[in-house]
Amino acid sequence: METNSNSASSKPSASSLRWRILSRAVLHRAKNPEDESQLGMKLISRKAAKGFNLIPCQLLNHDHESRDAQFCYTLPTQGCPKLVLTQRLNNNANLTDFEICNRHNIDNTGTVCQWPSEDVLAYYCLSHADMFRSKRVIELGSGYGLAGLTIAATTEALEVVISDGNPQVVDYILHNINTNSGAFGETRVKPMKLHWNEKEVSNLSHTFDVIVASDCTFFKEFHKDLAQVTELLLKKPGPSEAIFFSPKRGNSLDKFLEEIKDNGLLFSITEIYDTEIWNRHQQFMNGDESWPGYEKDRCYPLLVRITR
């Protein structure tokens, strides 16, 4: 994150932001079984309480001895399969998670909760299946992999790689791929642990037709690496593009796009890219109480398309 002599004391570092996210999750944990049971129900219901709720989600199973639960996502297109994802209950992290983040210099946002932009990305991909047909696709910073799994199950992509830099998250991705493997048809699907600062990615450099990502521009200290890995993975020669969804969050998105330009890439930003998503955004802006505290700057994801 950028600092100067006048702002270093007032701007939080990325590590301190990670700690805030984690500590809020840890402090939400209850101290007795009765409270924990009530908290578990709140955390489960909160999964669908804040977000655009474009893909209906239903709790399938929750073991009260575990931090995990199974959710069924019903893709809102006729003939599409349902997807079953195992994921953490929201705000249910612990100190081990923070230690892993520091060890690997990564953030823990992938296990804290499923972020609203992931829902938007999955819905957008479902609505634009033709752009993935017979293509090689990689999702960056995927979290539990809803968007990548949606692409794999509905678009007839040639290959879908679902990646994250957090080894804990990659374990969830692998589990979710195995759970839903019957829905993928001929599409090859695999998990991958990918750090954005890698300069070479085995045999994958410049091989992907489409990159997708959601809410990956939050931490400014990762902007340079994210832009560089985007350039590294985009196929050349031949047409290729990256599809990013991200709120502006002050100047965070603008700073990331400066790095995109510095890597010789082009980009476009679209504010109104889907009628249903825009209508729900307008409802939240007009006081819909299902998303308290909704603000356009930090909640509404813009569509960013990146090309060579």
Side-chain angles (χ1 to χ4, degrees), residues 92-110:
N92 210 13
N94 61 26
L95 291 177
T96 300
D97 301 324
F98 187 57
E99 292 168 357
I100 290 174
C101 289
N102 279 345
R103 187 183 316 140
H104 295 277
N105 190 30
I106 55 176
D107 66 74
N108 193 49
T109 53

Side-chain angles (χ1 to χ4, degrees), residues 236-298:
K236 67 176 184 181
S240 59
E241 70 174 328
I243 304 294
F244 281 32
F245 280 94
S246 179
K248 282 186 64 67
R249 289 204 181 90
N251 68 352
S252 181
L253 180 59
D254 292 335
K255 290 293 186 182
F256 169 68
L257 294 175
E258 288 178 11
E259 296 291 346
I260 287 294
K261 287 194 294 185
D262 289 345
N263 278 270
L265 300 173
L266 307 173
F267 68 87
S268 65
I269 302 174
T270 305
E271 182 178 54
I272 305 176
Y273 45 83
D274 182 274
T275 301
E276 180 62 29
I277 297 172
W278 182 253
N279 287 342
R280 297 194 185 197
H281 160 67
Q282 296 283 61
Q283 291 171 10
F284 295 134
M285 290 296 293
N286 291 329
D288 186 324
E289 295 183 356
S290 65
W291 193 335
Y294 181 91
E295 297 175 1
K296 182 178 181 180
D297 180 76
R298 65 180 180 84

Side-chain angles (χ1 to χ4, degrees), residues 7 26 36 88 91 96 203 232 235 254 277 303:
S7 62
V26 172
E36 187 164 333
R88 291 265 187 93
N91 287 333
T96 300
N203 298 320
L232 177 67
K235 185 178 72 174
D254 292 335
I277 297 172
L303 167 60

Side-chain angles (χ1 to χ4, degrees), residues 9 41 46 76 81 106 111 114 160 178 188 204 212 239 255 265 305 307:
S9 61
M41 293 308 297
R46 186 175 173 273
I106 55 176
T111 57
Q114 186 152 286
V160 178
N178 291 336
R188 302 190 302 269
L204 300 180
V212 297
K255 290 293 186 182
L265 300 173
R305 303 184 77 149
T307 59

Side-chain angles (χ1 to χ4, degrees), residues 77-142:
T77 299
Q78 187 174 3
C80 287
K82 295 182 178 180
L83 298 175
V84 176
L85 272 66
T86 297
Q87 54 197 68
R88 291 265 187 93
L89 298 177
N90 286 356
N91 287 333
N92 210 13
N94 61 26
L95 291 177
T96 300
D97 301 324
F98 187 57
E99 292 168 357
I100 290 174
C101 289
N102 279 345
R103 187 183 316 140
H104 295 277
N105 190 30
I106 55 176
D107 66 74
N108 193 49
T109 53
T111 57
V112 170
C113 70
Q114 186 152 286
W115 300 92
S117 292
E118 175 83 353
D119 182 49
V120 170
L121 173 61
Y123 183 84
Y124 181 87
C125 294
L126 182 64
S127 304
H128 297 78
D130 288 347
M131 74 182 338
F132 302 102
R133 189 163 290 117
S134 302
K135 302 293 181 60
R136 298 191 70 201
V137 184
I138 185 168
E139 182 179 10
L140 303 179
S142 69

Side-chain angles (χ1 to χ4, degrees), residues 63-75:
D63 180 355
H64 289 282
E65 299 300 319
S66 170
R67 294 189 289 170
D68 297 342
Q70 273 193 329
F71 294 89
C72 178
Y73 291 84
T74 302
L75 302 180

